[in-house]
Amino acid sequence: MDDVLVINMVMNKNLSFKSNGLYFFDSSTLDWLPLACEEVNLNLFFDGVNFVYFSNNFCPACRLFNLVWYPFVEEKFSKKDNIYFYVALCNWFTENCDSSCARSAFLYFNIKASPTIVIIIKLKDKIIKHYIEGNIKEKFLYEILNQAIKIYENLAKNSQTNYH
């Protein structure tokens, strides 16, 4: 099993996590930090654009997508304001997951395929969620992120207009 975990995380520069869990990318340290949680709900996420990548260690498609995802996050978008990245990692969905936090995330978002990205655009009580299943290319990730940023900026602009 260690071989699978190492292959799965090979693109992560610091190899800081190989085990099941919910991780947050800290752009100040450029490190993936494990999150502890009793349950997962939308309060866990920040106002802004949140990308949650649902991955499984035993998923060949996830191992391919890791080659796109980790460099995209760590090198391209890690320093942008109001953009947050997460990874929910299990061995195989909720059937084989030794992290209650990651398992809770898979259940809360009803993840049935991997890789899956859930985009959560959040501004106070306004929340927009979008799901993308399957392998996607870096170019499409850019397009999705740029669209999500525009939606968030429009939400922010409209909320300011409503308060003045």
Side-chain angles (χ1 to χ4, degrees):
M1 183 160 102
D2 285 337
D3 292 341
V4 172
L5 294 174
V6 170
I7 290 168
N8 189 38
M9 304 316 301
V10 72
M11 287 307 295
N12 188 0
K13 290 182 287 217
N14 50 35
L15 294 173
S16 61
F17 64 104
K18 296 177 184 175
S19 58
N20 296 180
L22 182 61
Y23 297 89
F24 172 74
F25 188 72
D26 181 353
S27 62
S28 63
T29 64
L30 301 179
D31 198 9
W32 290 93
L33 305 176
L35 298 177
C37 65
E38 295 298 316
E39 66 176 306
V40 171
N41 58 46
L42 292 172
N43 294 329
L44 186 67
F45 302 98
F46 295 101
D47 277 4
V49 178
N50 299 270
F51 272 62
V52 186
Y53 166 35
F54 288 86
S55 180
N56 287 290
N57 281 323
F58 300 154
C59 165
C62 295
R63 288 194 292 276
L64 285 176
F65 184 63
N66 288 348
L67 300 174
V68 173
W69 172 259
Y70 289 102
F72 176 80
V73 172
E74 295 172 359
E75 297 167 11
K76 309 273 189 331
F77 279 100
S78 60
K79 293 288 188 184
K80 290 222 178 224
D81 291 337
N82 300 319
I83 301 174
Y84 308 97
F85 296 96
Y86 302 81
V87 172
L89 179 64
C90 287
N91 288 328
W92 191 251
F93 300 94
T94 57
E95 292 97 50
N96 185 344
C97 190
D98 30 341
S99 163
S100 60
C101 192
R103 192 175 328 104
S104 179
F106 271 80
L107 288 170
Y108 181 80
F109 288 103
N110 197 26
I111 301 300
K112 303 286 186 211
S114 65
T116 294
I117 293 177
V118 177
I119 302 155
I120 304 157
I121 303 167
K122 182 178 172 188
L123 182 67
K124 299 179 178 96
D125 59 341
K126 291 182 175 44
I127 296 169
I128 299 166
K129 287 189 290 182
H130 183 71
Y131 291 68
I132 299 168
E133 293 181 350
N135 270 325
I136 58 177
K137 303 283 185 215
E138 184 178 283
K139 182 179 177 186
F140 190 51
L141 267 175
Y142 276 112
E143 291 172 13
I144 295 164
L145 182 60
N146 288 326
Q147 288 174 354
I149 290 168
K150 286 178 186 169
I151 292 168
Y152 175 72
E153 287 171 347
N154 285 336
L155 282 177
K157 188 168 81 174
N158 290 337
S159 75
Q160 289 175 349
T161 314
N162 292 338
Y163 293 116
H164 294 294

